[in-house]
PDB file of all heavy atoms in Angstrom:
ATOM      1  N   LEU A   1      84.020  23.232 -28.903  1.00 93.00           N
ATOM      2  CA  LEU A   1      83.241  23.602 -27.720  1.00 93.00           C
ATOM      3  C   LEU A   1      81.766  23.597 -27.887  1.00 93.00           C
ATOM      4  O   LEU A   1      81.345  23.768 -28.970  1.00 93.00           O
ATOM      5  CB  LEU A   1      83.605  25.078 -27.202  1.00 93.00           C
ATOM      6  CG  LEU A   1      85.248  25.316 -26.969  1.00 93.00           C
ATOM      7  CD1 LEU A   1      85.375  26.757 -26.629  1.00 93.00           C
ATOM      8  CD2 LEU A   1      85.627  24.468 -25.771  1.00 93.00           C
ATOM      9  N   LYS A   2      80.956  23.370 -27.013  1.00 90.00           N
ATOM     10  CA  LYS A   2      79.519  23.498 -27.022  1.00 90.00           C
ATOM     11  C   LYS A   2      79.232  24.490 -25.826  1.00 90.00           C
ATOM     12  O   LYS A   2      79.821  24.473 -24.705  1.00 90.00           O
ATOM     13  CB  LYS A   2      78.945  22.088 -26.652  1.00 90.00           C
ATOM     14  CG  LYS A   2      78.920  21.193 -27.856  1.00 90.00           C
ATOM     15  CD  LYS A   2      77.925  20.089 -27.796  1.00 90.00           C
ATOM     16  CE  LYS A   2      77.950  19.353 -29.075  1.00 90.00           C
ATOM     17  NZ  LYS A   2      76.784  18.372 -29.030  1.00 90.00           N
ATOM     18  N   PRO A   3      78.246  25.357 -26.000  1.00 91.00           N
ATOM     19  CA  PRO A   3      77.779  26.198 -24.888  1.00 91.00           C
ATOM     20  C   PRO A   3      77.126  25.431 -23.740  1.00 91.00           C
ATOM     21  O   PRO A   3      76.539  24.436 -23.917  1.00 91.00           O
ATOM     22  CB  PRO A   3      76.822  27.129 -25.503  1.00 91.00           C
ATOM     23  CG  PRO A   3      76.180  26.446 -26.627  1.00 91.00           C
ATOM     24  CD  PRO A   3      77.313  25.576 -27.091  1.00 91.00           C
ATOM     25  N   THR A   4      77.313  25.926 -22.446  1.00 92.00           N
ATOM     26  CA  THR A   4      76.801  25.346 -21.289  1.00 92.00           C
ATOM     27  C   THR A   4      75.299  25.302 -21.434  1.00 92.00           C
ATOM     28  O   THR A   4      74.613  24.497 -20.884  1.00 92.00           O
ATOM     29  CB  THR A   4      77.233  25.971 -19.965  1.00 92.00           C
ATOM     30  OG1 THR A   4      76.815  27.383 -20.120  1.00 92.00           O
ATOM     31  CG2 THR A   4      78.711  25.852 -19.804  1.00 92.00           C
ATOM     32  N   SER A   5      74.658  26.162 -22.342  1.00 89.00           N
ATOM     33  CA  SER A   5      73.163  26.110 -22.428  1.00 89.00           C
ATOM     34  C   SER A   5      72.741  25.010 -23.044  1.00 89.00           C
ATOM     35  O   SER A   5      71.588  24.632 -23.203  1.00 89.00           O
ATOM     36  CB  SER A   5      72.757  27.392 -23.142  1.00 89.00           C
ATOM     37  OG  SER A   5      73.361  27.465 -24.411  1.00 89.00           O
ATOM     38  N   ALA A   6      73.700  24.159 -23.760  1.00 89.00           N
ATOM     39  CA  ALA A   6      73.354  22.904 -24.520  1.00 89.00           C
ATOM     40  C   ALA A   6      73.147  21.791 -23.411  1.00 89.00           C
ATOM     41  O   ALA A   6      72.653  20.705 -23.832  1.00 89.00           O
ATOM     42  CB  ALA A   6      74.503  22.609 -25.480  1.00 89.00           C
ATOM     43  N   LEU A   7      73.628  21.921 -22.327  1.00 91.00           N
ATOM     44  CA  LEU A   7      73.466  20.996 -21.105  1.00 91.00           C
ATOM     45  C   LEU A   7      72.135  20.939 -20.648  1.00 91.00           C
ATOM     46  O   LEU A   7      71.577  21.965 -20.269  1.00 91.00           O
ATOM     47  CB  LEU A   7      74.521  21.231 -20.136  1.00 91.00           C
ATOM     48  CG  LEU A   7      74.443  20.325 -18.790  1.00 91.00           C
ATOM     49  CD1 LEU A   7      74.863  18.963 -19.298  1.00 91.00           C
ATOM     50  CD2 LEU A   7      75.376  20.866 -17.814  1.00 91.00           C
ATOM     51  N   ILE A   8      71.462  19.740 -20.700  1.00 90.00           N
ATOM     52  CA  ILE A   8      70.188  19.499 -20.155  1.00 90.00           C
ATOM     53  C   ILE A   8      70.348  18.331 -19.153  1.00 90.00           C
ATOM     54  O   ILE A   8      71.319  17.579 -19.230  1.00 90.00           O
ATOM     55  CB  ILE A   8      68.976  19.262 -21.131  1.00 90.00           C
ATOM     56  CG1 ILE A   8      69.277  18.001 -22.001  1.00 90.00           C
ATOM     57  CG2 ILE A   8      68.946  20.375 -22.012  1.00 90.00           C
ATOM     58  CD1 ILE A   8      68.087  17.606 -22.735  1.00 90.00           C
ATOM     59  N   TYR A   9      69.446  18.125 -18.236  1.00 89.00           N
ATOM     60  CA  TYR A   9      69.518  17.183 -17.205  1.00 89.00           C
ATOM     61  C   TYR A   9      68.714  16.008 -17.520  1.00 89.00           C
ATOM     62  O   TYR A   9      67.572  16.195 -18.274  1.00 89.00           O
ATOM     63  CB  TYR A   9      69.192  17.857 -15.903  1.00 89.00           C
ATOM     64  CG  TYR A   9      70.098  19.004 -15.531  1.00 89.00           C
ATOM     65  CD1 TYR A   9      69.572  20.298 -15.534  1.00 89.00           C
ATOM     66  CD2 TYR A   9      71.383  18.818 -15.053  1.00 89.00           C
ATOM     67  CE1 TYR A   9      70.534  21.312 -15.276  1.00 89.00           C
ATOM     68  CE2 TYR A   9      72.272  19.755 -14.824  1.00 89.00           C
ATOM     69  CZ  TYR A   9      71.804  21.036 -14.947  1.00 89.00           C
ATOM     70  OH  TYR A   9      72.706  22.069 -14.602  1.00 89.00           O
ATOM     71  N   SER A  10      68.942  14.942 -16.899  1.00 86.00           N
ATOM     72  CA  SER A  10      68.056  13.667 -17.089  1.00 86.00           C
ATOM     73  C   SER A  10      66.587  14.103 -16.759  1.00 86.00           C
ATOM     74  O   SER A  10      66.284  14.754 -15.742  1.00 86.00           O
ATOM     75  CB  SER A  10      68.474  12.691 -16.056  1.00 86.00           C
ATOM     76  OG  SER A  10      67.719  11.553 -16.148  1.00 86.00           O
ATOM     77  N   GLY A  11      65.715  13.703 -17.589  1.00 90.00           N
ATOM     78  CA  GLY A  11      64.352  13.935 -17.534  1.00 90.00           C
ATOM     79  C   GLY A  11      63.842  15.173 -18.350  1.00 90.00           C
ATOM     80  O   GLY A  11      62.633  15.543 -18.578  1.00 90.00           O
ATOM     81  N   ASP A  12      64.823  16.156 -18.659  1.00 92.00           N
ATOM     82  CA  ASP A  12      64.503  17.330 -19.404  1.00 92.00           C
ATOM     83  C   ASP A  12      64.013  17.020 -20.820  1.00 92.00           C
ATOM     84  O   ASP A  12      64.543  16.026 -21.436  1.00 92.00           O
ATOM     85  CB  ASP A  12      65.722  18.321 -19.578  1.00 92.00           C
ATOM     86  CG  ASP A  12      65.999  19.027 -18.175  1.00 92.00           C
ATOM     87  OD1 ASP A  12      65.141  18.889 -17.299  1.00 92.00           O
ATOM     88  OD2 ASP A  12      66.978  19.727 -18.096  1.00 92.00           O
ATOM     89  N   GLU A  13      63.347  17.893 -21.416  1.00 93.00           N
ATOM     90  CA  GLU A  13      62.941  17.817 -22.808  1.00 93.00           C
ATOM     91  C   GLU A  13      64.084  17.967 -23.798  1.00 93.00           C
ATOM     92  O   GLU A  13      64.761  19.045 -23.711  1.00 93.00           O
ATOM     93  CB  GLU A  13      61.752  18.681 -23.173  1.00 93.00           C
ATOM     94  CG  GLU A  13      61.251  18.510 -24.606  1.00 93.00           C
ATOM     95  CD  GLU A  13      60.178  19.540 -24.915  1.00 93.00           C
ATOM     96  OE1 GLU A  13      59.705  20.259 -23.979  1.00 93.00           O
ATOM     97  OE2 GLU A  13      59.745  19.552 -26.051  1.00 93.00           O
ATOM     98  N   ILE A  14      64.321  17.174 -24.700  1.00 92.00           N
ATOM     99  CA  ILE A  14      65.171  17.391 -25.815  1.00 92.00           C
ATOM    100  C   ILE A  14      64.616  18.202 -26.961  1.00 92.00           C
ATOM    101  O   ILE A  14      63.506  17.633 -27.392  1.00 92.00           O
ATOM    102  CB  ILE A  14      65.842  16.024 -26.414  1.00 92.00           C
ATOM    103  CG1 ILE A  14      66.633  15.278 -25.317  1.00 92.00           C
ATOM    104  CG2 ILE A  14      66.645  16.230 -27.598  1.00 92.00           C
ATOM    105  CD1 ILE A  14      66.958  13.731 -25.818  1.00 92.00           C
ATOM    106  N   ILE A  15      65.082  19.296 -27.320  1.00 89.00           N
ATOM    107  CA  ILE A  15      64.467  20.121 -28.229  1.00 89.00           C
ATOM    108  C   ILE A  15      65.042  19.820 -29.721  1.00 89.00           C
ATOM    109  O   ILE A  15      66.270  19.914 -29.903  1.00 89.00           O
ATOM    110  CB  ILE A  15      64.778  21.595 -27.992  1.00 89.00           C
ATOM    111  CG1 ILE A  15      64.120  21.959 -26.559  1.00 89.00           C
ATOM    112  CG2 ILE A  15      64.144  22.504 -29.020  1.00 89.00           C
ATOM    113  CD1 ILE A  15      64.478  23.154 -25.963  1.00 89.00           C
ATOM    114  N   HIS A  16      64.106  19.494 -30.572  1.00 91.00           N
ATOM    115  CA  HIS A  16      64.643  19.171 -32.004  1.00 91.00           C
ATOM    116  C   HIS A  16      64.219  20.400 -32.826  1.00 91.00           C
ATOM    117  O   HIS A  16      62.960  20.596 -33.018  1.00 91.00           O
ATOM    118  CB  HIS A  16      63.899  17.945 -32.340  1.00 91.00           C
ATOM    119  CG  HIS A  16      64.347  17.496 -33.804  1.00 91.00           C
ATOM    120  ND1 HIS A  16      64.140  16.225 -34.371  1.00 91.00           N
ATOM    121  CD2 HIS A  16      65.052  18.147 -34.788  1.00 91.00           C
ATOM    122  CE1 HIS A  16      64.671  16.119 -35.594  1.00 91.00           C
ATOM    123  NE2 HIS A  16      65.317  17.307 -35.806  1.00 91.00           N
ATOM    124  N   PRO A  17      65.269  21.282 -33.174  1.00 91.00           N
ATOM    125  CA  PRO A  17      64.770  22.448 -33.976  1.00 91.00           C
ATOM    126  C   PRO A  17      64.179  22.177 -35.246  1.00 91.00           C
ATOM    127  O   PRO A  17      64.527  21.104 -35.994  1.00 91.00           O
ATOM    128  CB  PRO A  17      66.189  23.039 -34.205  1.00 91.00           C
ATOM    129  CG  PRO A  17      67.093  22.403 -33.386  1.00 91.00           C
ATOM    130  CD  PRO A  17      66.514  21.086 -33.038  1.00 91.00           C
ATOM    131  N   ASN A  18      63.215  22.966 -35.613  1.00 93.00           N
ATOM    132  CA  ASN A  18      62.454  22.944 -36.821  1.00 93.00           C
ATOM    133  C   ASN A  18      63.311  22.963 -38.015  1.00 93.00           C
ATOM    134  O   ASN A  18      62.822  22.743 -39.247  1.00 93.00           O
ATOM    135  CB  ASN A  18      61.167  23.666 -36.777  1.00 93.00           C
ATOM    136  CG  ASN A  18      61.463  25.189 -36.805  1.00 93.00           C
ATOM    137  OD1 ASN A  18      62.639  25.551 -36.923  1.00 93.00           O
ATOM    138  ND2 ASN A  18      60.350  25.903 -36.652  1.00 93.00           N
ATOM    139  N   PHE A  19      64.506  23.560 -38.037  1.00 93.00           N
ATOM    140  CA  PHE A  19      65.356  23.797 -39.214  1.00 93.00           C
ATOM    141  C   PHE A  19      66.312  22.598 -39.546  1.00 93.00           C
ATOM    142  O   PHE A  19      67.136  22.600 -40.350  1.00 93.00           O
ATOM    143  CB  PHE A  19      66.288  25.062 -39.105  1.00 93.00           C
ATOM    144  CG  PHE A  19      66.974  25.101 -37.713  1.00 93.00           C
ATOM    145  CD1 PHE A  19      68.206  24.448 -37.686  1.00 93.00           C
ATOM    146  CD2 PHE A  19      66.541  25.824 -36.687  1.00 93.00           C
ATOM    147  CE1 PHE A  19      69.002  24.425 -36.514  1.00 93.00           C
ATOM    148  CE2 PHE A  19      67.327  25.943 -35.511  1.00 93.00           C
ATOM    149  CZ  PHE A  19      68.594  25.154 -35.445  1.00 93.00           C
ATOM    150  N   SER A  20      66.046  21.438 -38.789  1.00 92.00           N
ATOM    151  CA  SER A  20      66.794  20.226 -38.997  1.00 92.00           C
ATOM    152  C   SER A  20      65.887  18.983 -39.199  1.00 92.00           C
ATOM    153  O   SER A  20      64.863  18.946 -38.319  1.00 92.00           O
ATOM    154  CB  SER A  20      67.783  19.901 -37.910  1.00 92.00           C
ATOM    155  OG  SER A  20      68.330  18.638 -38.086  1.00 92.00           O
ATOM    156  N   GLU A  21      66.155  18.166 -40.004  1.00 91.00           N
ATOM    157  CA  GLU A  21      65.313  16.951 -40.224  1.00 91.00           C
ATOM    158  C   GLU A  21      66.068  15.692 -39.809  1.00 91.00           C
ATOM    159  O   GLU A  21      65.608  14.540 -40.208  1.00 91.00           O
ATOM    160  CB  GLU A  21      64.662  16.788 -41.560  1.00 91.00           C
ATOM    161  CG  GLU A  21      63.807  18.038 -41.883  1.00 91.00           C
ATOM    162  CD  GLU A  21      63.289  17.940 -43.324  1.00 91.00           C
ATOM    163  OE1 GLU A  21      63.442  17.027 -44.059  1.00 91.00           O
ATOM    164  OE2 GLU A  21      62.634  19.039 -43.798  1.00 91.00           O
ATOM    165  N   ASN A  22      67.294  15.776 -39.278  1.00 91.00           N
ATOM    166  CA  ASN A  22      68.263  14.539 -39.103  1.00 91.00           C
ATOM    167  C   ASN A  22      69.004  14.750 -37.782  1.00 91.00           C
ATOM    168  O   ASN A  22      70.192  14.941 -37.818  1.00 91.00           O
ATOM    169  CB  ASN A  22      69.131  14.517 -40.406  1.00 91.00           C
ATOM    170  CG  ASN A  22      69.766  13.189 -40.417  1.00 91.00           C
ATOM    171  OD1 ASN A  22      69.523  12.309 -39.702  1.00 91.00           O
ATOM    172  ND2 ASN A  22      70.747  13.131 -41.421  1.00 91.00           N
ATOM    173  N   MET A  23      68.358  14.607 -36.771  1.00 92.00           N
ATOM    174  CA  MET A  23      68.997  14.511 -35.473  1.00 92.00           C
ATOM    175  C   MET A  23      69.382  13.119 -35.128  1.00 92.00           C
ATOM    176  O   MET A  23      68.469  12.263 -34.936  1.00 92.00           O
ATOM    177  CB  MET A  23      68.117  15.116 -34.311  1.00 92.00           C
ATOM    178  CG  MET A  23      68.778  15.304 -33.007  1.00 92.00           C
ATOM    179  SD  MET A  23      68.007  16.450 -31.846  1.00 92.00           S
ATOM    180  CE  MET A  23      66.330  15.692 -31.576  1.00 92.00           C
ATOM    181  N   HIS A  24      70.702  13.035 -34.722  1.00 89.00           N
ATOM    182  CA  HIS A  24      71.061  11.677 -34.293  1.00 89.00           C
ATOM    183  C   HIS A  24      71.631  11.787 -32.817  1.00 89.00           C
ATOM    184  O   HIS A  24      71.939  12.870 -32.377  1.00 89.00           O
ATOM    185  CB  HIS A  24      72.327  11.255 -35.063  1.00 89.00           C
ATOM    186  CG  HIS A  24      71.998  10.773 -36.471  1.00 89.00           C
ATOM    187  ND1 HIS A  24      72.689   9.721 -37.050  1.00 89.00           N
ATOM    188  CD2 HIS A  24      71.105  11.135 -37.384  1.00 89.00           C
ATOM    189  CE1 HIS A  24      72.223   9.494 -38.296  1.00 89.00           C
ATOM    190  NE2 HIS A  24      71.229  10.285 -38.442  1.00 89.00           N
ATOM    191  N   HIS A  25      71.662  10.610 -32.183  1.00 90.00           N
ATOM    192  CA  HIS A  25      72.141  10.651 -30.760  1.00 90.00           C
ATOM    193  C   HIS A  25      73.341   9.755 -30.703  1.00 90.00           C
ATOM    194  O   HIS A  25      73.409   8.756 -31.547  1.00 90.00           O
ATOM    195  CB  HIS A  25      71.196  10.205 -29.740  1.00 90.00           C
ATOM    196  CG  HIS A  25      70.680   8.764 -30.045  1.00 90.00           C
ATOM    197  ND1 HIS A  25      69.699   8.372 -31.035  1.00 90.00           N
ATOM    198  CD2 HIS A  25      70.973   7.589 -29.467  1.00 90.00           C
ATOM    199  CE1 HIS A  25      69.514   7.113 -31.000  1.00 90.00           C
ATOM    200  NE2 HIS A  25      70.269   6.603 -30.064  1.00 90.00           N
ATOM    201  N   GLU A  26      74.246   9.986 -29.789  1.00 87.00           N
ATOM    202  CA  GLU A  26      75.491   9.175 -29.536  1.00 87.00           C
ATOM    203  C   GLU A  26      75.718   9.052 -28.060  1.00 87.00           C
ATOM    204  O   GLU A  26      75.627  10.129 -27.352  1.00 87.00           O
ATOM    205  CB  GLU A  26      76.760   9.688 -30.166  1.00 87.00           C
ATOM    206  CG  GLU A  26      76.638   9.730 -31.605  1.00 87.00           C
ATOM    207  CD  GLU A  26      77.877  10.457 -32.238  1.00 87.00           C
ATOM    208  OE1 GLU A  26      78.751  11.100 -31.427  1.00 87.00           O
ATOM    209  OE2 GLU A  26      78.006  10.619 -33.501  1.00 87.00           O
ATOM    210  N   ALA A  27      75.967   8.017 -27.533  1.00 90.00           N
ATOM    211  CA  ALA A  27      76.352   7.844 -26.097  1.00 90.00           C
ATOM    212  C   ALA A  27      77.745   8.316 -25.962  1.00 90.00           C
ATOM    213  O   ALA A  27      78.563   8.107 -26.726  1.00 90.00           O
ATOM    214  CB  ALA A  27      76.252   6.421 -25.626  1.00 90.00           C
ATOM    215  N   GLU A  28      78.035   9.165 -24.867  1.00 90.00           N
ATOM    216  CA  GLU A  28      79.294   9.678 -24.852  1.00 90.00           C
ATOM    217  C   GLU A  28      79.978   9.435 -23.342  1.00 90.00           C
ATOM    218  O   GLU A  28      79.140   9.554 -22.312  1.00 90.00           O
ATOM    219  CB  GLU A  28      79.441  11.184 -25.052  1.00 90.00           C
ATOM    220  CG  GLU A  28      78.890  11.728 -26.470  1.00 90.00           C
ATOM    221  CD  GLU A  28      79.871  11.369 -27.428  1.00 90.00           C
ATOM    222  OE1 GLU A  28      81.149  10.986 -27.207  1.00 90.00           O
ATOM    223  OE2 GLU A  28      79.658  11.587 -28.635  1.00 90.00           O
ATOM    224  N   LEU A  29      81.111   9.393 -23.143  1.00 92.00           N
ATOM    225  CA  LEU A  29      81.889   9.383 -21.849  1.00 92.00           C
ATOM    226  C   LEU A  29      82.108  10.892 -21.483  1.00 92.00           C
ATOM    227  O   LEU A  29      82.542  11.569 -22.313  1.00 92.00           O
ATOM    228  CB  LEU A  29      83.129   8.563 -21.861  1.00 92.00           C
ATOM    229  CG  LEU A  29      83.942   8.712 -20.553  1.00 92.00           C
ATOM    230  CD1 LEU A  29      83.155   7.998 -19.384  1.00 92.00           C
ATOM    231  CD2 LEU A  29      85.213   7.963 -20.677  1.00 92.00           C
ATOM    232  N   VAL A  30      81.593  11.347 -20.302  1.00 93.00           N
ATOM    233  CA  VAL A  30      81.806  12.574 -20.021  1.00 93.00           C
ATOM    234  C   VAL A  30      82.526  12.615 -18.748  1.00 93.00           C
ATOM    235  O   VAL A  30      82.488  11.859 -17.738  1.00 93.00           O
ATOM    236  CB  VAL A  30      80.305  13.244 -19.525  1.00 93.00           C
ATOM    237  CG1 VAL A  30      80.400  14.666 -19.078  1.00 93.00           C
ATOM    238  CG2 VAL A  30      79.333  13.112 -20.609  1.00 93.00           C
ATOM    239  N   LEU A  31      83.518  13.573 -18.760  1.00 93.00           N
ATOM    240  CA  LEU A  31      84.435  13.844 -17.661  1.00 93.00           C
ATOM    241  C   LEU A  31      84.385  15.181 -17.107  1.00 93.00           C
ATOM    242  O   LEU A  31      84.306  16.001 -17.886  1.00 93.00           O
ATOM    243  CB  LEU A  31      86.026  13.621 -18.162  1.00 93.00           C
ATOM    244  CG  LEU A  31      86.433  12.217 -18.817  1.00 93.00           C
ATOM    245  CD1 LEU A  31      87.786  12.307 -19.297  1.00 93.00           C
ATOM    246  CD2 LEU A  31      86.195  11.145 -17.811  1.00 93.00           C
ATOM    247  N   LEU A  32      84.363  15.248 -15.906  1.00 92.00           N
ATOM    248  CA  LEU A  32      84.498  16.524 -15.165  1.00 92.00           C
ATOM    249  C   LEU A  32      85.939  16.802 -14.797  1.00 92.00           C
ATOM    250  O   LEU A  32      86.390  16.095 -13.864  1.00 92.00           O
ATOM    251  CB  LEU A  32      83.521  16.603 -13.964  1.00 92.00           C
ATOM    252  CG  LEU A  32      83.632  17.880 -13.144  1.00 92.00           C
ATOM    253  CD1 LEU A  32      83.092  19.041 -13.937  1.00 92.00           C
ATOM    254  CD2 LEU A  32      82.862  17.660 -11.746  1.00 92.00           C
ATOM    255  N   ILE A  33      86.625  17.740 -15.275  1.00 93.00           N
ATOM    256  CA  ILE A  33      87.918  18.179 -15.005  1.00 93.00           C
ATOM    257  C   ILE A  33      87.798  18.999 -13.872  1.00 93.00           C
ATOM    258  O   ILE A  33      87.320  20.224 -13.991  1.00 93.00           O
ATOM    259  CB  ILE A  33      88.610  18.684 -16.184  1.00 93.00           C
ATOM    260  CG1 ILE A  33      88.470  17.790 -17.451  1.00 93.00           C
ATOM    261  CG2 ILE A  33      90.111  18.994 -15.822  1.00 93.00           C
ATOM    262  CD1 ILE A  33      89.198  16.350 -17.138  1.00 93.00           C
ATOM    263  N   GLY A  34      88.363  18.780 -12.772  1.00 90.00           N
ATOM    264  CA  GLY A  34      88.264  19.547 -11.577  1.00 90.00           C
ATOM    265  C   GLY A  34      89.249  20.613 -11.176  1.00 90.00           C
ATOM    266  O   GLY A  34      89.235  21.144 -10.188  1.00 90.00           O
ATOM    267  N   LYS A  35      90.210  20.691 -12.123  1.00 91.00           N
ATOM    268  CA  LYS A  35      91.309  21.572 -11.872  1.00 91.00           C
ATOM    269  C   LYS A  35      92.050  22.111 -13.222  1.00 91.00           C
ATOM    270  O   LYS A  35      91.921  21.434 -14.141  1.00 91.00           O
ATOM    271  CB  LYS A  35      92.428  21.312 -10.868  1.00 91.00           C
ATOM    272  CG  LYS A  35      93.201  19.999 -11.350  1.00 91.00           C
ATOM    273  CD  LYS A  35      94.224  19.638 -10.231  1.00 91.00           C
ATOM    274  CE  LYS A  35      94.803  18.252 -10.389  1.00 91.00           C
ATOM    275  NZ  LYS A  35      95.698  17.784  -9.292  1.00 91.00           N
ATOM    276  N   THR A  36      92.626  23.293 -13.228  1.00 93.00           N
ATOM    277  CA  THR A  36      93.199  23.822 -14.398  1.00 93.00           C
ATOM    278  C   THR A  36      94.514  23.003 -14.553  1.00 93.00           C
ATOM    279  O   THR A  36      95.285  22.882 -13.712  1.00 93.00           O
ATOM    280  CB  THR A  36      93.577  25.360 -14.274  1.00 93.00           C
ATOM    281  OG1 THR A  36      92.240  25.978 -13.915  1.00 93.00           O
ATOM    282  CG2 THR A  36      94.116  25.839 -15.386  1.00 93.00           C
ATOM    283  N   ILE A  37      94.518  22.552 -15.966  1.00 93.00           N
ATOM    284  CA  ILE A  37      95.769  21.856 -16.335  1.00 93.00           C
ATOM    285  C   ILE A  37      96.112  22.298 -17.772  1.00 93.00           C
ATOM    286  O   ILE A  37      95.237  22.621 -18.492  1.00 93.00           O
ATOM    287  CB  ILE A  37      95.540  20.344 -16.286  1.00 93.00           C
ATOM    288  CG1 ILE A  37      94.445  19.836 -17.068  1.00 93.00           C
ATOM    289  CG2 ILE A  37      95.472  19.795 -14.743  1.00 93.00           C
ATOM    290  CD1 ILE A  37      94.386  18.380 -17.274  1.00 93.00           C
ATOM    291  N   LYS A  38      97.290  22.152 -18.059  1.00 94.00           N
ATOM    292  CA  LYS A  38      97.783  22.618 -19.404  1.00 94.00           C
ATOM    293  C   LYS A  38      99.040  21.722 -19.780  1.00 94.00           C
ATOM    294  O   LYS A  38      99.953  21.549 -18.864  1.00 94.00           O
ATOM    295  CB  LYS A  38      98.171  24.085 -19.585  1.00 94.00           C
ATOM    296  CG  LYS A  38      98.404  24.475 -20.949  1.00 94.00           C
ATOM    297  CD  LYS A  38      98.723  25.952 -20.955  1.00 94.00           C
ATOM    298  CE  LYS A  38      99.083  26.320 -22.451  1.00 94.00           C
ATOM    299  NZ  LYS A  38      99.139  27.762 -22.576  1.00 94.00           N
ATOM    300  N   ASN A  39      99.122  21.113 -20.958  1.00 95.00           N
ATOM    301  CA  ASN A  39     100.239  20.271 -21.327  1.00 95.00           C
ATOM    302  C   ASN A  39     100.506  19.164 -20.245  1.00 95.00           C
ATOM    303  O   ASN A  39     101.695  18.990 -19.848  1.00 95.00           O
ATOM    304  CB  ASN A  39     101.474  21.130 -21.643  1.00 95.00           C
ATOM    305  CG  ASN A  39     101.187  22.219 -22.751  1.00 95.00           C
ATOM    306  OD1 ASN A  39     100.581  21.831 -23.713  1.00 95.00           O
ATOM    307  ND2 ASN A  39     101.722  23.312 -22.634  1.00 95.00           N
ATOM    308  N   ALA A  40      99.459  18.598 -19.723  1.00 96.00           N
ATOM    309  CA  ALA A  40      99.574  17.655 -18.571  1.00 96.00           C
ATOM    310  C   ALA A  40     100.148  16.379 -19.095  1.00 96.00           C
ATOM    311  O   ALA A  40      99.919  15.872 -20.250  1.00 96.00           O
ATOM    312  CB  ALA A  40      98.305  17.575 -17.953  1.00 96.00           C
ATOM    313  N   SER A  41     100.808  15.686 -18.243  1.00 97.00           N
ATOM    314  CA  SER A  41     101.281  14.340 -18.285  1.00 97.00           C
ATOM    315  C   SER A  41      99.994  13.464 -18.315  1.00 97.00           C
ATOM    316  O   SER A  41      98.982  13.936 -17.757  1.00 97.00           O
ATOM    317  CB  SER A  41     102.309  13.955 -17.356  1.00 97.00           C
ATOM    318  OG  SER A  41     101.659  13.819 -16.000  1.00 97.00           O
ATOM    319  N   GLU A  42     100.168  12.131 -18.578  1.00 96.00           N
ATOM    320  CA  GLU A  42      98.947  11.233 -18.490  1.00 96.00           C
ATOM    321  C   GLU A  42      98.588  11.065 -17.056  1.00 96.00           C
ATOM    322  O   GLU A  42      97.340  11.140 -16.704  1.00 96.00           O
ATOM    323  CB  GLU A  42      99.336   9.819 -19.040  1.00 96.00           C
ATOM    324  CG  GLU A  42      98.145   8.905 -19.228  1.00 96.00           C
ATOM    325  CD  GLU A  42      98.492   7.648 -19.779  1.00 96.00           C
ATOM    326  OE1 GLU A  42      99.429   7.693 -20.736  1.00 96.00           O
ATOM    327  OE2 GLU A  42      97.893   6.693 -19.455  1.00 96.00           O
ATOM    328  N   LYS A  43      99.539  11.147 -16.115  1.00 97.00           N
ATOM    329  CA  LYS A  43      99.190  11.009 -14.782  1.00 97.00           C
ATOM    330  C   LYS A  43      98.602  12.201 -14.203  1.00 97.00           C
ATOM    331  O   LYS A  43      97.526  12.196 -13.508  1.00 97.00           O
ATOM    332  CB  LYS A  43     100.428  10.760 -13.965  1.00 97.00           C
ATOM    333  CG  LYS A  43     100.234  10.531 -12.430  1.00 97.00           C
ATOM    334  CD  LYS A  43     101.603  10.224 -11.739  1.00 97.00           C
ATOM    335  CE  LYS A  43     101.502   9.753 -10.350  1.00 97.00           C
ATOM    336  NZ  LYS A  43     101.006  10.652  -9.409  1.00 97.00           N
ATOM    337  N   GLU A  44      98.989  13.454 -14.493  1.00 97.00           N
ATOM    338  CA  GLU A  44      98.356  14.704 -14.247  1.00 97.00           C
ATOM    339  C   GLU A  44      97.010  14.932 -14.702  1.00 97.00           C
ATOM    340  O   GLU A  44      96.121  15.270 -13.922  1.00 97.00           O
ATOM    341  CB  GLU A  44      99.276  15.967 -14.597  1.00 97.00           C
ATOM    342  CG  GLU A  44     100.621  16.072 -13.890  1.00 97.00           C
ATOM    343  CD  GLU A  44     101.505  16.926 -14.716  1.00 97.00           C
ATOM    344  OE1 GLU A  44     101.358  17.078 -15.838  1.00 97.00           O
ATOM    345  OE2 GLU A  44     102.236  17.623 -13.919  1.00 97.00           O
TER     346      GLU A  44
END
């Protein structure tokens, strides 16, 4: 998990903490799951 405070919006400043010298970026596919599911089938 990541905290929702880690979410920034397009155009926001990316903060690079001073306690790290090696920040990398990766493109990710982001899904918004719109309902509660558990042990779901692929279709669900």
Side-chain angles (χ1 to χ4, degrees):
L1 301 175
K2 287 194 175 190
T4 56
S5 60
L7 176 64
I8 65 171
Y9 301 104
S10 180
D12 286 354
E13 179 182 356
I14 296 172
I15 299 169
H16 186 164
N18 61 7
F19 53 81
S20 171
E21 296 180 10
N22 192 7
M23 182 164 65
H24 285 217
H25 64 278
E26 299 175 353
E28 301 285 357
L29 174 62
V30 179
L31 301 177
L32 175 65
I33 306 301
K35 59 182 169 182
T36 302
I37 57 173
K38 184 175 181 177
N39 300 320
S41 68
E42 188 173 329
K43 183 178 191 295
E44 291 168 323

